[in-house]
Amino acid sequence: AADTELRAEIAIRREVARLRILHEARERRLNKEAELRALRLQRAREKTEREAQVQTYQKEERRERIRQDMEQLRLEWDIKWGQQLANNLKSIEDYTRSWLEQKDSRNIFEKELKRIEEEFYAPPRVDNVARERALSDPVNITMVYIEAKLTVDGLLMQDLVHLFSEDGSDYLTYQQFRKIIATCGVELDEPQIRDIIEKVDDDKDRLISVEELTRVLNDQRETLGQPGSPWKQYVDPAQSVMCYHNILTGQKIFEGDMRRQQLADITKEAIVHKRLHEESERTYAAKLQDWEHIMQNYRAKSIQWMYRRWKARQRVKSKIWKTDAERRKRLAAQKVLAARRLQRWWRRAKR
């Protein structure tokens, strides 16, 4: 009986030890699996963060590359069409001046001279009230002097505004605009200056912008003479007499001092600059059309590059299954080896 009890106690102890070993092994396995899962999650998070950082960097790099490409394209485009415009204008000007010296141009020249002469000497009538009002409008006259300053100093309207604005902005206060009027040498009284400011400030925000000045300047160019021509026709505010004003030289020819030869010279300049203006508009339209073609080509190349990249990825994906199959085989072999080791350990523990 004592031997039986001893054997039973030994068996119980062995079973308890075996169960303890199995429990400890299970705990170690669970802990290891938990650590592996945590490690995989951490690596997956790190991989996701790295991929997000790489994608962000690649996006910024692509944006910067596209911006540089666009700047380079626009620079080359501006240089190309700047040279094209200069060559076209020079060719048109040479051809037009040569044509004016020939007999073929006599009829057109005489017709244009007659029109300009009639407009210059025409008295105020009911049918030309609007034109007479535009010729004596202080706004248009002020824009003539401002255009003269821009032409002589080689400035754009934006450059002039930046020059007189205290903070270099695209806006002028009323007082700063008064300084421009005084600098250009326009002889106007205070009511006329207030009327000019009221007409130029279109949105009534008590600031005069570059866009507002440019709009008024373009209106003046269409009203007081051929656009592009240095000769501007208006009623001089100081003497209330019709005159032609050369904005390049500052020369003024009043109605009483005008000679037919001077009108003929003004007519020639008007014809030349009319052709130049038409050529500038035609070249500008062709320039915009060329830019549209450049953008279409650029977009087409970008789409082609994206397609080639997508196609390469598809090829890689089509061959990934081989790598995945090899990886699955390795995992299966590792599982078989782990199962065999566990069986060996179980047999030894059972003994």
Side-chain angles (χ1 to χ4, degrees), residues 165-183:
S165 62
E166 296 178 355
D167 54 355
S169 63
D170 292 341
Y171 297 91
L172 292 171
T173 63
Y174 288 172
Q175 189 62 32
Q176 291 167 349
F177 184 63
R178 289 172 183 269
K179 291 181 180 179
I180 292 180
I181 295 176
T183 303

Side-chain angles (χ1 to χ4, degrees), residues 2 17 29 38 43 48 103-104 117 125 134 143 152 157 165 172 220 223 231 239 246 250 264 308 332:
R29 180 171 56 81
R43 289 178 177 177
T48 304
K103 294 181 180 180
D104 297 341
E117 189 174 12
R125 297 190 304 270
M143 288 299 112
V152 173
M157 183 62 74
S165 62
L172 292 171
Q220 170 271 129
T223 305
W231 289 100
Q239 302 186 25
N246 191 318
R308 287 194 294 267

Side-chain angles (χ1 to χ4, degrees), residues 39-71:
L39 183 60
R40 290 193 192 99
L41 289 175
Q42 182 180 359
R43 289 178 177 177
R45 284 195 297 268
E46 292 176 354
K47 182 179 179 181
T48 304
E49 292 176 357
R50 286 196 301 271
E51 290 178 351
Q53 292 176 356
V54 169
Q55 290 178 359
T56 303
Y57 174 75
Q58 289 175 347
K59 287 180 180 179
E60 293 177 354
E61 187 179 11
R62 282 197 297 270
R63 291 194 188 100
E64 181 65 19
R65 185 177 68 250
I66 292 172
R67 186 186 65 80
Q68 292 178 358
D69 292 344
M70 294 298 294
E71 288 181 355

Side-chain angles (χ1 to χ4, degrees), residues 132-147:
E132 290 293 329
R133 187 182 297 115
L135 290 174
S136 58
D137 190 353
V139 176
N140 290 334
I141 297 171
T142 302
M143 288 299 112
V144 169
Y145 281 85
I146 291 178
E147 184 179 11

Side-chain angles (χ1 to χ4, degrees), residues 148-166:
K149 182 172 181 59
L150 295 176
T151 304
V152 173
D153 295 346
L155 300 174
L156 299 174
M157 183 62 74
Q158 188 173 5
D159 299 330
L160 184 65
V161 173
H162 289 172
L163 186 63
F164 281 86
S165 62
E166 296 178 355

Side-chain angles (χ1 to χ4, degrees), residues 85-124:
L85 178 61
N87 295 334
N88 290 350
L89 293 181
K90 186 176 185 306
S91 177
I92 291 295
E93 183 177 4
D94 294 341
Y95 173 79
T96 305
R97 293 191 184 280
S98 175
W99 174 75
L100 287 172
E101 300 298 328
Q102 299 175 5
K103 294 181 180 180
D104 297 341
S105 64
R106 187 179 302 277
N107 292 334
I108 298 176
F109 174 75
E110 291 294 336
K111 182 179 179 180
E112 186 68 16
L113 175 60
K114 183 178 180 181
R115 183 188 67 81
I116 291 177
E117 189 174 12
E118 289 177 354
E119 288 182 354
F120 185 68
Y121 291 110

